């Protein structure tokens, strides 16, 4: 398979895009899931797996 030589400015833009995406993901992890203080709810425990899923911690807002 032949290699395609991409321009350096395109490669740099792609790297900046990946960095910005990673920074956005990190920010979203730190933010609360609700902008208003909201109580959480317990997760469901299906009998076939026994694993608790889809619950939420309370949000401080």
């Amino acid at each position: 398979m032949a290699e395609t030589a991409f321009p350096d400015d395109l490669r740099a833009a792609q790297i900046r895009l990946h960095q910005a995406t990673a920074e956005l993901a990190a920010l979203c992890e730190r933010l609360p899931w609700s902008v208003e203080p909201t109580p959480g709810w317990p997760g469901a425990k299906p009998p076939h797996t026994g694993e608790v899923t889809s619950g939420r911690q309370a949000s401080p807002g």
Side-chain angles (χ1 to χ4, degrees):
M1 180 182 278
E3 273 192 41
T4 303
F6 291 102
D8 288 336
D9 61 337
L10 183 60
R11 292 172 146 245
Q14 186 71 41
I15 289 170
R16 287 193 310 271
L17 174 63
H18 288 304
Q19 290 170 340
T21 302
E23 289 173 14
L24 176 62
L27 174 64
C28 289
E29 287 290 322
R30 290 191 311 268
L31 292 174
W33 61 269
S34 176
V35 296
E36 297 178 358
T38 307
W41 59 87
K45 187 174 180 180
H48 61 282
T49 64
E51 184 178 334
V52 178
T53 58
S54 68
R56 286 247 188 210
Q57 298 285 337
S59 175

